[in-house]
Amino acid sequence: MARGSAVAWAALGPLLWGCALGLQGGMLYPQESPSRECKKLDGLWSFRADFSDNRRRGFEEQWYRRPLWESGPTVDMPVPSSFNDISQDWRLRHFVGWVWYEREVILPERWTQDLRTRVVLRIGSAHSYAIVWVNGVDTLEHEGGYLPFEADISNLVQVQLTAQTSLGPVSDFYTLPVGIRTVAVTKSQFLINGKPFYFHGVNKHEDADIRGKGFDWPLLVKDFNLLRWLGANAFRTSHYPYAEEVLQMCDRYGIVVIDECPGVGLALPQFFNNVSLHHHMQVMEEVVRRDKNHPAVVMWSVANEPASHLESAGYYLKMVIAHTKALDPSRPVTFVSNSNYAADKGAPYVDVICLNSYYSWYHDYGHLELIQLQLATQFENWYKKYQKPIIQSEYGAETIAGFHQDPPLMFTEEYQKSLLEQYHLGLDQKRRKYVVGELIWNFADFMTEQSPTRVLGNKKGIFTRQRQPKSAAFLLRERYWKIANETRYPHSVAKSQCLENSPFT
């Protein structure tokens, strides 16, 4: 065996999602095939955070040319995971700054000595700015979290060679599961394979105790079993693209996906500039390139709650949407709005209107009796102006499991359930007309930064962070199975809620 290189990391942000070394390769998900070998680098890495006041690029000069442990103490850090909840060091809980991941890798001898071998280092995700060193060489940089990036490192690991000769094209082949379907939009319907489709599902975050946003197979399978239990047929990758394994499961189980890029926080005029626009387009290219072959993905979302009432936002969103359509003319494009219908400058350019509204929560809180009127007014105003199908892309209420009060008060399970019931009455008035979907916020509670408005994170989940149901989950299950059975058996009595009636089939 030939001794491999020490792979040194520096990343800004909390997440190292996973990485692998492979032969041949490309941006597609790494997998073994007759022409590929893969070496996953999941497991324990050496880790250090820079808590100094002088956090800037350039400090790495003292570290990357020798093992990390030689320059100071390190701790073990599992990959994939977020580092926030792993340690008992309170400083890491909300740390934003430079952190280091380092791993020494032993490579097969053939990888390091055979000129016909191409060795690719692929990182599943590092949030949100990453620099990668291999054998002390600055090899790769990437800006933007949640998406993969890679580099050919053959000349760095084939250390016994003085130069690498040109060998011409190298055969590389692999297999992918294939799904064939069409997607189309009329002024009042969303069509999959020519048939009207109604989104009844959830918004999700990749988040769980201890691991944070790090990918976890047991958690993923549990979540899909809960989606089956709910009768959900769709979700939105709210605020960022999810791990490729998630989309593979959606393909496998027939869950429909609105795939959203990390375009969140565009709330101020200065954000809508040419530098941001260029990067936004680049990120959409990465999202489309990675996810375009997944039949589960039926629509791209380019942003969440931008300040779309601004004139500069109108041009910005127009350009991003047009760029995305050019990248993939086969799918509709949207963004998620919380602006006023009369002032929204981006809505003319989308194919489907996606609306976030939190009536009786952030507005007129406590007044559940207003929801139906407010929701009807919202839908009628948006549809009259734009004549496009509408999805209620977020709605919900913060709920602490085990809190009860009657009459319902905010933060209790009864209040969340009552709020959902009022929304559902309003949705039912429009869903056979031009409303084509409803996505609850949120599937499960998730951790956030500390603030006076959050009690150990966002509690709008219908499941707890540990995936236990609140009262609202049973209400939503009854509704989603009813809608699923109406769709499957439009001229017969609704079937019983059993696994044979799975919305996945």
Side-chain angles (χ1 to χ4, degrees):
M1 300 287 286
R3 184 178 179 86
S5 62
V7 183
W9 271 80
L12 175 64
L15 179 64
L16 180 59
W17 207 331
C19 61
L21 285 162
L23 302 189
Q24 314 310 331
M27 289 305 293
L28 288 170
Y29 183 79
Q31 56 182 296
E32 296 277 357
S33 78
S35 64
R36 289 183 174 187
E37 297 176 42
C38 289
K39 184 180 181 69
K40 286 191 175 293
L41 303 183
D42 296 354
L44 292 181
W45 289 55
S46 296
F47 173 90
R48 181 188 298 154
D50 176 30
F51 294 115
S52 69
D53 294 330
N54 188 25
R55 295 177 192 153
R56 59 181 178 80
R57 182 170 175 180
F59 83 98
E60 66 272 4
E61 291 290 335
Q62 59 181 314
W63 285 353
Y64 75 87
R65 294 190 184 278
R66 61 186 193 274
L68 191 60
W69 62 266
E70 290 187 4
S71 58
T74 64
V75 297
D76 290 335
M77 188 61 63
V79 172
S81 75
S82 302
F83 60 66
N84 309 79
D85 291 337
I86 301 297
S87 145
Q88 295 305 106
D89 188 339
W90 63 269
R91 296 175 299 173
L92 282 178
R93 181 61 188 83
H94 295 293
F95 179 73
V96 176
W98 289 104
V99 300
W100 284 77
Y101 288 82
E102 182 183 81
R103 176 84 175 264
E104 187 172 87
V105 183
I106 306 300
L107 301 182
E109 185 175 14
R110 183 170 63 82
W111 290 25
T112 63
Q113 295 187 358
D114 189 346
L115 279 175
R116 295 169 297 180
T117 296
R118 179 170 173 255
V119 183
V120 176
L121 175 64
R122 183 183 190 275
I123 293 88
S125 173
H127 187 75
S128 61
Y129 188 85
I131 311 170
V132 183
W133 287 268
V134 178
N135 284 344
V137 177
D138 187 338
T139 303
L140 179 61
E141 299 186 20
H142 183 263
E143 183 176 2
Y146 310 110
L147 293 166
F149 51 101
E150 67 181 24
D152 186 329
I153 61 170
S154 306
N155 63 327
L156 298 174
V157 300
Q158 292 167 343
V159 294
Q160 297 177 2
L161 306 173
T162 57
Q164 189 166 10
T165 59
S166 175
L167 300 173
V170 179
S171 176
D172 180 23
F173 55 92
Y174 48 87
T175 60
L176 288 174
V178 176
I180 304 298
R181 55 99 186 96
T182 62
V183 179
V185 173
T186 72
K187 74 174 188 176
S188 62
Q189 292 181 317
F190 194 98
L191 305 175
I192 297 181
N193 291 336
K195 297 180 180 180
F197 181 82
Y198 188 79
F199 296 78
H200 50 92
V202 301
N203 291 275
K204 285 179 93 284
H205 271 331
E206 293 181 296
D207 174 78
D209 285 342
I210 301 177
R211 186 182 290 269
K213 289 185 179 181
F215 176 77
D216 181 78
W217 270 114
L219 183 70
L220 181 62
V221 174
K222 177 65 174 178
D223 282 358
F224 271 79
N225 282 327
L226 289 175
L227 290 172
R228 180 194 296 271
W229 180 85
L230 276 176
N233 69 355
F235 66 74
R236 162 179 162 236
T237 67
S238 42
H239 307 355
Y240 57 89
Y242 294 173
E244 291 158 278
E245 292 90 342
V246 178
L247 296 180
Q248 290 167 1
M249 287 286 282
C250 290
D251 292 340
R252 182 181 179 91
Y253 283 83
I255 285 284
V256 165
V257 177
I258 300 173
D259 201 353
E260 189 164 276
C261 86
V264 62
L266 296 169
L268 298 173
Q270 56 265 36
F271 294 159
F272 299 100
N273 57 66
N274 287 334
V275 174
S276 178
L277 177 61
H278 175 76
H279 181 59
H280 202 145
M281 289 181 171
Q282 181 180 353
V283 170
M284 286 311 305
E285 289 178 15
E286 293 182 16
V287 174
V288 173
R289 182 172 65 238
R290 193 196 73 168
D291 295 345
K292 65 182 180 180
N293 291 327
H294 289 284
V297 176
V298 298
M299 183 158 58
W300 307 111
S301 173
V302 302
N304 174 72
E305 297 185 353
S308 51
H309 62 282
L310 299 173
E311 290 292 342
S312 56
Y315 173 78
Y316 183 103
L317 291 167
K318 176 183 178 181
M319 298 302 293
V320 174
I321 291 168
H323 183 65
T324 306
K325 285 178 173 291
L327 293 169
D328 177 19
S330 71
R331 290 179 176 92
V333 180
T334 189
F335 72 90
V336 176
S337 177
N338 65 345
S339 294
N340 179 275
Y341 77 97
D344 197 298
K345 301 298 191 295
Y349 309 112
V350 302
D351 299 297
V352 176
I353 303 288
C354 287
L355 300 176
N356 292 352
S357 61
Y358 288 91
Y359 301 129
S360 298
W361 188 256
Y362 295 122
H363 313 285
D364 300 307
Y365 39 83
H367 290 280
L368 297 167
E369 75 279 3
L370 297 178
I371 291 176
Q372 290 188 54
L373 174 61
Q374 291 172 324
L375 201 59
T377 303
Q378 167 194 275
F379 289 146
E380 289 163 7
N381 286 338
W382 279 88
Y383 189 71
K384 181 178 180 181
K385 182 171 179 63
Y386 297 106
Q387 297 288 298
K388 295 177 181 180
I390 298 172
I391 294 175
Q392 183 69 43
S393 44
E394 289 183 25
Y395 70 104
E398 210 94 12
T399 306
I400 301 174
F403 275 34
H404 297 280
Q405 192 79 39
D406 186 59
L409 294 179
M410 294 176 72
F411 294 99
T412 67
E413 295 194 42
E414 287 76 16
Y415 193 89
Q416 184 185 42
K417 186 177 177 182
S418 297
L419 184 146
L420 266 58
E421 287 174 332
Q422 293 301 308
Y423 260 90
H424 295 163
L425 290 170
L427 286 161
D428 284 343
Q429 294 177 15
K430 306 296 183 183
R431 70 180 174 94
R432 292 181 178 87
K433 298 178 181 178
Y434 50 78
V435 172
V436 298
E438 56 190 79
L439 304 174
I440 185 73
W441 186 274
N442 193 287
F443 173 73
D445 295 345
F446 57 93
M447 189 53 65
T448 64
E449 288 186 338
Q450 296 184 79
S451 80
T453 60
R454 298 293 188 215
V455 183
L456 292 178
N458 190 306
K459 290 291 192 293
K460 291 191 180 72
I462 58 168
F463 298 99
T464 67
R465 199 182 189 206
Q466 296 76 35
R467 275 37 179 195
Q468 298 305 313
K470 303 176 188 177
S471 299
F474 297 94
L475 172 74
L476 207 64
R477 180 177 190 247
E478 182 178 358
R479 174 173 179 81
Y480 282 179
W481 276 106
K482 180 181 178 181
I483 293 173
N485 286 329
E486 286 175 0
T487 303
R488 295 180 60 199
Y489 308 103
H491 305 298
S492 63
V493 177
K495 305 297 181 181
S496 62
Q497 295 176 1
C498 60
L499 289 180
E500 287 75 17
N501 293 336
S502 168
F504 299 129
T505 54

